[in-house]
Amino acid sequence: MPAAVVQTAALTCASSAIGSPQWRAFATWLACWIVLPNLPFLPMTLLGGPPRYVEIMLCGIVGLVVRHQGLPVRITAFAALLAYLVIAFIARMFNMAPTMLLSVVGLVFDLQPQASPEYAIGAGLLVLTFAAAVWLLRKPGHFVHPRLVAAAAAVVAVLAGGDHALSQAAMGSYGRIASPDNRFDSAVSQVRFLAGADGRRNLLVVMVEALGEPRDPALRRKLDQLWLRPELAGRYTMSRGVTEFYGSTTSGEIRELCQRWGDYPQFDGPQPDCLPAILRQRGYSAHSIHAFQSGFFERSDWYPLIGFERMTFGEQLIERGAGYCPNVFPGACDRDVPRFISAELRAPGRPKFIYWLTLNSHLPVVTNRELRTQQCQQLGAAQDRDFPMICRLFAVWEDTADALVTMLAEPGLPPTDVLIVGDHVPPFTQQSARVQFDPAHVPWYYLRAKQSEPAVQSLR
């Protein structure tokens, strides 16, 4: 039976048998605890955003529990509920546990959400929602008639069921948190990356933010063309594949750098079995590069635990001459990083292991000159029009790939094995864009140097 029919029947039955004060209290409750807290998320739900049926049921439960309480309790409960709904929505969008999101809430002022129209509109809706709730909660919302309680439960059940149906198509790409019995997989293990660590070549891992595996073969070919360039064929043996992912970016980092499912809060001390630590034991230097600030997700704390002896973040890159790329996650421009990597690879001394986590393709990718996303023309006229965020994502990837490929093709660059891998599926808010990518796998590209002459002094 359609949702509207069920709701209408329930409410008609209730209103015909119950006095008007109780009916008005029920209507006020419905507006306060069902309509208002879910209203800011309605645009994303209609576009096929992450499933929210659990949150919808939570709204109903909280509203029923506190409906007879005083105004201060109800306002406090509504504020806490709205805060949780926002945290749960963002966490599910980015395949994170809510506790992970709470760990960086103090760094929110380092972001620029106002740069994104989507975030600005969402923030405005939240402010208006809370203001409307404070006004409405002053009105009586305490009803006790059993039929009205049953009607409230019916409305919540129907709305939750409708949300479940709307989000069904993309549900598999949300909330991907690994369990202990999941079979482990990674790009590093598939390409036997450590087999190249003989001291005769440098090693470079590039984790590309939001680099997902397209489902459409034409889109996949477009992605392959960004990273597997003909001008590199003479110097590198090139291959590509996919690996399973769980969680957000930091989970992807642990997957490739430490060869396990999990995340950094699980670290309680040095991790000698992680890639940087292993390579340092083999005589390599270990250097990490990321164009955002050092405190985000506590990278300045746990990077040393997995073996990095040197770290460079956005502030240092900009001080050294990298450009500034404004975005919701502002920082140094990824296209300027390869020249710093080139200089390090050419420096004498120990063989080098460099890990580069890119930044600029962090969603949502805004339109601006610095990111080179204005007037985006990447996928063809129809797809550029229908999927503007995918177009901008490809534009940033191409900008990063151009700079990396230019560096790898430089004459005299010491032999360097390069692994390029995604962290997670692009976390689009629109279901139509999200389902363009594999919900469980990300791509990798492996460029193994053909040169046999030593890049550095051999360890043997």
Side-chain angles (χ1 to χ4, degrees):
M1 185 180 295
V5 175
V6 174
Q7 293 179 55
T8 301
L11 299 182
T12 300
C13 177
S15 62
S16 63
I18 304 162
S20 58
Q22 282 278 287
W23 170 250
R24 285 194 297 270
F26 174 79
T28 299
W29 177 89
L30 197 65
C32 287
W33 296 103
I34 302 301
V35 176
L36 277 180
N38 293 295
L39 185 61
F41 308 97
L42 183 60
M44 294 301 100
T45 299
L46 294 176
L47 289 171
R52 297 191 60 257
Y53 52 92
V54 173
E55 286 79 7
I56 292 172
M57 289 188 287
L58 180 64
C59 291
I61 292 170
V62 171
L64 287 171
V65 169
V66 304
R67 71 187 191 277
H68 64 281
Q69 299 292 333
L71 180 62
V73 172
R74 284 181 288 141
I75 290 178
T76 301
F78 187 92
L81 175 65
L82 192 61
Y84 173 77
L85 294 179
V86 173
I87 291 170
F89 182 85
I90 297 174
R92 192 166 287 124
M93 283 294 304
F94 291 94
N95 287 301
M96 297 168 58
T99 52
M100 283 282 293
L101 195 61
L102 287 171
S103 71
V104 296
V105 70
L107 300 173
V108 70
F109 296 108
D110 295 308
L111 308 183
Q112 293 183 355
Q114 70 278 6
S116 168
E118 294 93 340
Y119 279 26
I121 292 171
L125 281 174
L126 289 173
V127 171
L128 291 175
T129 296
F130 186 71
V134 171
W135 178 73
L136 268 177
L137 286 169
R138 296 175 182 276
K139 299 176 180 294
H142 181 207
F143 57 91
V144 295
H145 198 287
R147 290 187 181 179
L148 286 179
V149 175
V155 169
V156 172
V158 168
L159 291 176
D163 179 87
H164 185 277
L166 281 174
S167 60
Q168 192 68 34
M171 196 171 291
S173 68
Y174 296 106
R176 285 187 57 81
I177 306 298
S179 63
D181 59 343
N182 288 124
R183 182 185 66 85
F184 181 75
D185 190 21
S186 74
V188 164
S189 62
Q190 288 186 37
V191 305
R192 300 182 66 246
F193 191 70
L194 273 173
D198 57 4
R200 298 176 59 86
R201 61 184 68 221
N202 297 315
L203 302 174
L204 171 63
V205 171
V206 182
M207 178 160 283
V208 181
E209 171 63 40
L211 183 67
E213 173 73 354
R215 283 175 159 174
D216 178 63
L219 205 59
R220 193 179 309 126
R221 286 192 296 271
K222 172 73 175 175
L223 185 66
D224 292 348
Q225 290 167 3
L226 296 183
W227 306 102
L228 303 178
R229 305 286 183 93
E231 59 265 38
L232 298 179
R235 185 177 289 187
Y236 300 91
T237 299
M238 299 185 290
S239 57
R240 74 99 72 201
V242 297
T243 185
E244 199 166 9
F245 83 91
Y246 288 94
S248 61
T249 298
T250 52
S251 296
E253 294 184 87
I254 302 306
R255 181 192 76 228
E256 298 299 337
L257 294 176
C258 294
Q259 297 300 286
R260 70 185 80 156
W261 301 129
D263 223 318
Y264 71 88
Q266 300 168 356
F267 296 155
D268 56 2
Q271 305 292 309
D273 56 345
C274 291
L275 196 61
I278 293 172
L279 290 171
R280 284 181 66 184
Q281 286 293 319
R282 298 189 184 185
Y284 280 73
S285 64
H287 179 198
S288 69
I289 303 175
H290 183 42
F292 199 48
Q293 56 113 323
S294 61
F296 203 69
F297 289 121
E298 304 176 35
R299 288 187 172 94
S300 59
D301 294 330
W302 64 269
Y303 272 12
L305 293 179
I306 65 174
F308 285 116
E309 57 189 321
R310 191 155 62 92
M311 301 171 289
T312 301
F313 292 100
E315 48 267 42
Q316 291 87 32
L317 290 170
I318 292 173
E319 287 174 1
R320 294 172 58 186
Y324 175 76
C325 278
N327 203 349
V328 173
F329 286 75
C333 296
D334 287 331
R335 61 175 172 266
D336 292 329
V337 172
R339 61 188 172 94
F340 300 119
I341 295 177
S342 176
E344 182 165 350
L345 293 175
R346 293 171 183 273
R350 291 182 293 165
K352 317 294 191 303
F353 168 59
I354 302 175
Y355 167 66
W356 173 26
L357 172 64
T358 73
L359 170 68
N360 300 154
S361 51
H362 200 296
L363 267 65
V365 178
V366 301
T367 301
N368 64 36
R369 179 178 55 82
E370 291 82 359
L371 288 173
R372 300 175 181 173
T373 51
Q374 75 276 31
Q375 299 178 338
C376 186
Q377 297 177 349
Q378 289 284 325
L379 315 176
Q383 286 187 306
D384 289 342
R385 180 191 64 246
D386 295 341
F387 303 109
M389 188 67 76
I390 296 181
C391 181
R392 295 197 289 274
L393 196 58
F394 265 81
V396 173
W397 288 339
E398 182 172 17
D399 203 29
T400 302
D402 285 347
L404 179 62
V405 170
T406 298
M407 181 205 80
L408 296 177
E410 289 174 351
L413 185 76
T416 302
D417 291 349
V418 184
L419 177 62
I420 303 158
V421 62
D423 51 358
H424 52 70
V425 68
F428 296 109
T429 52
Q430 301 91 343
Q431 186 183 105
S432 59
R434 195 161 182 131
V435 298
Q436 300 301 311
F437 291 85
D438 187 323
H441 298 88
V442 291
W444 56 256
Y445 300 92
Y446 185 42
L447 285 61
R448 181 169 172 80
K450 292 181 178 180
Q451 294 96 321
S452 59
E453 67 273 12
V456 292
Q457 182 179 357
S458 175
L459 297 176
R460 298 175 181 175

